[in-house]
Amino acid sequence: MLAPEVFDQRDEDGVVVLLDPEPGEALRATVREAADMCPSGAISVSAISDSATSAGTASTGAPSTGAPSASEGK
Amino acid sequence: VTTDNAVTDSTATNSTVTDSATLPEYPMRRAAGCPFDPPPALADLQRDTPLTRVRLWDGSTPWLVTRHADQRTLLRDPRISSDNLRPGYPNAAKIAADQRSKVGFILMDDPEHARLRRMVTARFAIKRVEAMRPSVQKIVDDLIDRLLAGPRPVDLVEAFALPVPSLVICTLLGVPYADHEFFQTSSSTMIRLSLPPAERQAAARRLSEYLDDLVGDKLDRPGDDLLSELAGHVRAGELTREDAAQIGVLLLIAGHETTANMIALGTVALLEHPEQLARLRDTDDPALVASAVEELLRYLNITHNGRRRAVLEDIEFGGEVIRAGEGIIFPNDIANRDESVFTDPGRLDIGRGGRNHVAFGFGVHQCLGQPLARMELQVVYGTLYRRIPTLRLATSTDQLTFKHDGAVYGVYELPVTW
């Protein structure tokens, strides 16, 4: 898993869950890489506009609409 | 809508007839003496154009996407379908007219694909797979003990590359390993594209019946394995027994053919690159072993006939319109040699390390078993060459029979000694 501080997998079905919706600056590159690698495009990352030092907000799509699952290589 | 489709169809057919003879045939041939490299004609296409039409065995002329970034963009696009019975789907070989077979969920679209896939994802989650690492290490150590005690030369495919992933997937699924000769032979027949379709279909039928019997057993006597979980879904009315058996077929084949070929072909590649083999053999760093796994996945591309999709709605792409009802092929082998993404892409460098290759595909169908494949390969590559440091071919590379006709690429046999 690319960013275990930010993402985990649900035990029952391996669907990726978001642990930290606002990861800090130190994780910026890793979280961006996770979004880039996400095979279903369910991760989006956006900068928090009024803070130049924040890595931004990560979010995953609702599990029912194709959030990445166990196998999908975070 | 019907009229529009008819117009589109006839237009496509006309242009196809005009151009078809001059279009490059796909798949293409690898160059003699370059068993690890994609076909040179495919590399030429990638250099010249991001998108082109190619001609298949049946005369159809689907699109082919040559570049890494474009493949990833389109493979995530919901306007493409994996359903091989849809018009335009670029099948790799003739499929039977009566074929209902949706081997597991790989040839299905969401939401049904996601519903079925999610029944099995838990067992392939990263933490579950990591918990299996010690037992995989033991399997690998025991097989190497047996190799070292046995005769030389030996066929590494038969004695090591096939048994490792077969033992692992049998335990995970709840398939008796004692039946390995049956399922290994049936599965290799199924995916050998040069065999007559009837022979391949008969093998597929035998495997389906075998898995159906096993699902029946698990309905009566469930154990702690994936087939028993599927049987549970059957009992709960969430899954047909036929679908349970087909998912079993898919996981059994995908669980051993792919990793077995990575083990054998990876060994050939490393023996051909002794300086890379020495780095891998001499390291204590699990990160370098993991990096070597990613690099060999990128470099070898054992699935070498491209990901294939049918187009559901017109897609504008690079100045062209890919029409609904047409096919698209995404050859991962050439994407993984895209020099705009990988510096000096033809060089094997086990320290390269990136995981941005598309060896496992991309999009919602990306390989379910990739955490398991990675873990098994890390154990194998991190153990085999340390335990047998003088491992070498008992023949020459140009004498090996490569699986040019396989849905999964590799070597049929690998005579080694030490």
Side-chain angles (χ1 to χ4, degrees):
Chain A
M1 180 149 306
L2 260 178
E5 308 89 340
V6 182
F7 305 104
D8 196 7
Q9 284 179 294
R10 272 198 322 232
D11 287 339
E12 64 269 28
D13 59 7
V15 166
V16 170
V17 290
L18 187 61
L19 299 177
D20 181 357
E22 295 189 8
E25 174 64 25
L27 290 166
R28 177 197 290 264
T30 319
V31 169
R32 291 242 179 243
E33 189 185 355
D36 178 53
M37 301 263 295
C38 177
S40 59
I43 300 172
S44 59
V45 184
S46 54
I48 294 172
S49 56
D50 59 356
S51 167
T53 56
S54 170
T57 304
S59 64
T60 65
S64 61
T65 57
S69 53
S71 40
E72 295 181 331
K74 290 288 101 47
Chain B
V1 172
T2 312
T3 314
D4 284 353
N5 281 346
V7 170
T8 306
D9 285 347
S10 74
T11 311
T13 308
N14 288 341
S15 70
T16 297
V17 169
T18 320
D19 303 332
S20 170
T22 59
L23 290 174
E25 267 187 70
Y26 186 85
M28 292 143 177
R29 277 175 191 279
R30 293 171 194 260
C34 300
F36 311 119
D37 293 335
L42 197 52
D44 291 345
L45 280 184
Q46 183 183 61
R47 194 193 50 233
D48 295 343
T49 179
L51 181 72
T52 183
R53 282 188 189 272
V54 291
R55 186 160 44 91
L56 299 193
W57 62 277
D58 59 355
S60 64
T61 57
W63 296 98
L64 184 140
V65 180
T66 63
R67 293 177 188 164
H68 184 273
D70 294 338
Q71 288 196 9
R72 296 215 305 178
T73 300
L74 284 169
L75 280 168
R76 273 207 302 216
D77 195 307
R79 292 170 294 180
I80 61 170
S81 165
S82 288
D83 182 347
N84 73 327
L85 299 179
R86 279 188 183 275
Y89 184 97
N91 279 294
K94 192 169 169 47
I95 56 169
D98 64 344
Q99 187 180 17
R100 181 222 163 254
S101 168
K102 292 288 182 194
V103 181
F105 35 76
I106 50 171
L107 300 177
M108 292 180 184
D109 293 327
D110 287 344
E112 187 62 359
H113 156 264
R115 192 182 76 82
L116 296 182
R117 178 170 169 139
R118 211 158 284 162
M119 290 180 184
V120 298
T121 44
R123 293 250 173 193
F124 296 94
I126 293 168
K127 281 175 284 187
R128 293 284 288 274
V129 163
E130 278 306 314
M132 296 167 65
R133 189 182 284 265
S135 66
V136 172
Q137 183 70 56
K138 179 159 184 0
I139 287 171
V140 168
D141 286 336
D142 289 351
L143 283 164
I144 295 173
D145 287 344
R146 220 180 298 172
L147 278 178
L148 289 170
R152 287 170 284 173
V154 64
D155 175 14
L156 195 74
V157 173
E158 178 87 31
F160 184 75
L162 266 175
V164 171
S166 299
L167 282 158
V168 173
I169 198 66
C170 279
T171 307
L172 195 150
L173 286 179
V175 169
Y177 182 70
D179 297 335
H180 69 99
E181 276 187 29
F182 163 74
F183 70 72
Q184 286 167 350
T185 306
S186 304
S187 108
S188 75
T189 301
M190 260 182 89
I191 66 168
R192 191 166 185 165
L193 302 174
S194 59
L195 292 174
E199 193 176 329
R200 299 176 54 216
Q201 283 151 22
R205 211 157 31 240
R206 283 196 300 275
L207 263 185
S208 297
E209 286 163 7
Y210 174 70
L211 265 301
D212 183 78
D213 285 347
L214 279 178
V215 171
D217 292 347
K218 307 291 181 186
L219 279 168
D220 297 336
R221 287 176 301 277
D224 177 22
D225 53 54
L226 188 41
L227 286 181
S228 295
E229 284 177 19
L230 291 176
H233 288 293
V234 173
R235 204 178 301 108
E238 299 156 353
L239 184 67
T240 65
R241 180 163 162 170
E242 187 185 5
D243 279 342
Q246 286 307 320
I247 292 171
V249 171
L250 167 65
L251 298 183
L252 183 57
I253 297 176
H256 79 277
E257 283 283 355
T258 49
T259 309
N261 281 298
M262 275 303 298
I263 293 170
L265 193 62
T267 299
V268 181
L270 288 165
L271 290 171
E272 285 279 303
H273 296 81
E275 75 296 343
Q276 300 296 318
L277 178 56
R279 277 173 85 187
L280 181 57
R281 189 176 49 218
D282 298 341
T283 188
D284 289 318
D285 181 6
L288 181 58
V289 175
S291 169
V293 169
E294 302 307 319
E295 175 65 348
L296 285 159
L297 287 162
R298 179 195 75 83
Y299 183 74
L300 295 173
N301 294 295
I302 55 158
T303 52
H304 64 150
N305 287 320
R307 265 73 198 196
R308 291 157 187 254
R309 299 289 187 270
V311 180
L312 299 175
E313 294 173 38
D314 291 2
I315 299 174
E316 277 185 51
F317 184 82
E320 301 270 6
V321 179
I322 305 174
R323 301 277 177 200
E326 295 188 321
I328 316 186
I329 299 178
F330 302 92
N332 45 294
D333 51 354
I334 201 65
N336 281 338
R337 299 294 184 95
D338 187 334
E339 64 184 6
S340 70
V341 180
F342 306 101
T343 308
D344 196 0
R347 191 164 55 91
L348 178 69
D349 172 5
I350 64 162
R352 191 190 296 266
R355 285 170 50 151
N356 56 339
H357 58 74
V358 286
F360 290 118
F362 203 68
V364 295
H365 286 275
Q366 193 177 65
C367 176
L368 166 74
Q370 62 179 284
L372 181 61
R374 287 190 157 111
M375 184 271 283
E376 288 184 49
L377 292 173
Q378 287 163 10
V379 172
V380 165
Y381 295 152
T383 308
L384 179 63
Y385 317 117
R386 293 173 74 101
R387 297 242 0 238
I388 315 183
T390 58
L391 186 77
R392 63 179 195 276
L393 290 187
T395 178
S396 58
T397 302
D398 59 6
Q399 292 297 306
L400 296 171
T401 308
F402 290 88
K403 297 181 175 178
H404 294 289
D405 63 340
V408 182
Y409 186 64
V411 287
Y412 283 108
E413 287 180 356
L414 184 57
V416 294
T417 190
W418 51 89

